[in-house]
Amino acid sequence: MTQGAGQGPEAERTAVLRDFRVPAYVNETGPYGHSTHPGDVVPAEEEAYPEGYTPTAQDLPVINHGDEFQSAADPAEQAVDGPGPLFVVGDVHGYLDELMAALHEKGLVDAAGNWCAGTARLWFLGDFTDRGPDGIGVIDLVMRLSAEAAAAGGYCKALMGNHELLLLGAKRFGDTPVNSGAGTATFQAAWLLNGGQKTDMDRLQDHHLQWMARLDAVEEVDGHLLVHSDTTAYLDYGDSIEAVNDTVRETLTRNDADEVWDLFRKLTKRFSFRDEGGADHVRSLLDTYGGARIVHGHSPIPYLLGEVGSEDDEDESGPVVEGPHVYADGLAIAMDGGVTMAGKLLVQQLPLDI
C-alpha cells in the first residue's frame, strides 16, 4: 500500500490511449537515500536472467497447502493427473524471514527454503519491497521458487503491486518532477516516504528491474480474480485481463515519468470494496474480467476493519489478524495481514471453506 498517491474516493475513469511502440528502457539509474519509513503515500536495458529462470508474463507461480479456514493435504501428495492446490500470498514488504516461515508452515518450502510442494500453484499478490529489511531477498526467493516449482510440475507466479511501480520509478526517474495532480512530486521522494530501503536500492540489479516490469497486474485462476489493489482503477486500463496486462507493460516500456506516475497513483487507491456500494464495485470487476470472487492485497486487514489509524501505529502489541478477511457480500477476500504493523504475513489455500 502507499500514501500520497491519491487514496481518496475513486475518481471517474478516463480513457487510456494505447500506444504499442516499444522503445528501449532509458534512465535506469537514479539517486537514493535512507528511508524514513512513514506510511503509504503518493506525493532498463535487456540483460540475461539468472541461470534456469525465464521471465514471461505467465512465469511467476509457486504454490501449496493448508490455511486458517480449512485443513489441507500435503501439496506434494496431491494427485498428479490435475492441477495442484492453489495458494495466494499477501503483501510481504521485505519481511523475508516471516515469508519463509509462512511458506514452510503451509508445506510449500522445506526447512532449507526449497520448493517441496510438487504440482502446487502459488500466487504472490504483489508488494515485495519497502518498509521491511530485505525486499531484494524476497524478490530473489520468488524468482528462485518460480524455477523450482516449474521443474516440479507446479508454478510460482506474482502480480504487480504499487510498490513494484514505486521502486521501478525511483530507480528509473529519481528526482525527475512529475505531475501529481496536487503539485510537483518525484518518485524518489515518494519511495522514501513509503518506506524505501537504501539496502534494497543498493542491491537492485537489472534482472530484478526486468522481472518487475514484466509482472501481470490481473489474473483469473479457478474462479478467483487476483489483483493487488482494492480499487476499480484496473477498469481504466482495458476491458479484458489481457488488455490490462498489455497496457501496464506498454506503459512501463514507454518509460514516460508522468505516465508511470499516473499508473502508480491509480493502483495506490484503496477501499473501493469496503464502503457503501463496495459489493457493486467488486461485481463490476468480476463482470468485466471474470471470476466469482476477487482476492486482493494492498489494504491491510486492520485498516479495512478500522482497528488502526496508520501503518506506523505505535501500539507494540499489533493488530490481531487470524486469517484472510471476507467482505463485500462475500465477494472480496483481503490478504494483507498487516505484517508491517506487527500483524501477520498471510499464505492461504483457495478456495476458502466458508
Side-chain angles (χ1 to χ4, degrees):
M1 58 170 287
T2 311
Q3 294 176 343
Q7 301 177 65
E10 295 290 337
E12 181 179 354
R13 297 199 305 277
T14 56
V16 173
L17 178 63
R18 301 290 295 280
D19 182 345
F20 293 90
R21 294 171 296 172
V22 187
Y25 292 137
V26 296
N27 299 327
E28 289 282 358
T29 60
Y32 50 81
H34 292 281
S35 166
T36 55
H37 201 290
D40 237 12
V41 187
V42 174
E45 300 170 8
E46 288 291 334
E47 179 167 307
Y49 292 84
E51 183 177 355
Y53 173 72
T54 303
T56 68
Q58 308 303 323
D59 180 52
L60 289 186
V62 210
I63 45 306
N64 208 122
H65 120 323
D67 61 45
E68 329 284 333
F69 293 82
Q70 60 186 37
S71 60
D74 186 333
E77 297 176 357
Q78 299 292 322
V80 296
D81 57 352
L86 174 65
F87 292 81
V88 291
V89 183
D91 298 33
V92 181
H93 283 299
Y95 285 85
L96 179 60
D97 291 344
E98 288 80 354
L99 174 60
M100 290 287 283
L103 293 174
H104 181 58
E105 180 183 355
K106 295 295 184 180
L108 294 167
V109 302
D110 61 22
N114 300 311
W115 182 259
C116 67
T119 60
R121 298 167 293 159
L122 179 61
W123 275 96
F124 285 80
L125 298 179
D127 276 10
F128 302 102
T129 67
D130 303 335
R131 304 190 186 288
D134 196 359
I136 298 302
V138 170
I139 292 176
D140 284 338
L141 173 65
V142 177
M143 294 174 70
R144 175 171 62 77
L145 290 180
S146 176
E148 293 177 0
Y155 68 68
C156 171
K157 301 184 180 183
L159 293 179
M160 173 80 70
N162 60 310
H163 279 262
E164 281 67 70
L165 291 168
L166 184 57
L167 182 57
L168 282 166
K171 179 65 173 178
R172 290 185 184 183
F173 307 118
D175 288 321
T176 300
V178 295
N179 293 319
S180 69
T184 301
T186 72
F187 273 104
Q188 175 72 10
W191 175 70
L192 292 172
L193 182 62
N194 287 281
Q197 303 293 298
K198 182 180 183 297
T199 52
D200 283 344
M201 189 65 79
D202 288 343
R203 297 162 58 202
L204 187 62
Q205 299 179 37
D206 284 348
H207 66 271
H208 298 128
L209 295 166
Q210 294 286 344
W211 181 82
M212 288 189 290
R214 297 184 184 195
L215 296 177
D216 284 339
V218 184
E219 273 297 341
E220 189 273 330
V221 185
D222 293 355
H224 299 92
L225 185 64
L226 309 180
V227 298
H228 173 69
S229 304
D230 47 327
T231 177
T232 59
Y234 294 97
L235 295 168
D236 288 352
Y237 292 94
D239 58 6
S240 70
I241 289 174
E242 182 180 12
V244 173
N245 292 333
D246 285 348
T247 302
V248 169
R249 275 190 289 274
E250 290 155 11
T251 298
L252 291 172
T253 299
R254 284 192 294 272
N255 213 41
D256 178 89
D258 287 326
E259 194 176 5
V260 176
W261 179 269
D262 190 60
L263 175 63
F264 163 65
R265 179 183 62 83
K266 287 182 176 180
L267 295 192
T268 298
K269 293 180 180 293
R270 67 179 77 256
F271 300 149
S272 289
F273 315 148
R274 182 192 68 175
D275 300 324
E276 184 177 357
D280 289 335
H281 291 153
V282 175
R283 291 186 184 97
S284 70
L285 289 166
L286 297 176
D287 290 346
T288 301
Y289 303 127
R293 266 184 176 165
I294 196 163
V295 183
H296 70 84
H298 189 49
S299 290
I301 291 171
Y303 278 19
L304 292 169
L305 297 176
E307 294 178 351
V308 296
S310 78
E311 202 162 2
D312 302 302
D313 196 289
E314 296 298 325
D315 183 359
E316 296 184 0
S317 64
V320 177
V321 176
E322 299 296 338
H325 174 51
V326 181
Y327 67 115
D329 293 349
L331 296 175
I333 302 173
M335 281 293 301
D336 184 348
V339 65
T340 64
M341 56 182 73
K344 186 175 185 180
L345 199 159
L346 296 179
V347 177
Q348 178 66 46
Q349 184 173 356
L350 299 176
L352 297 184
D353 185 13
I354 57 175

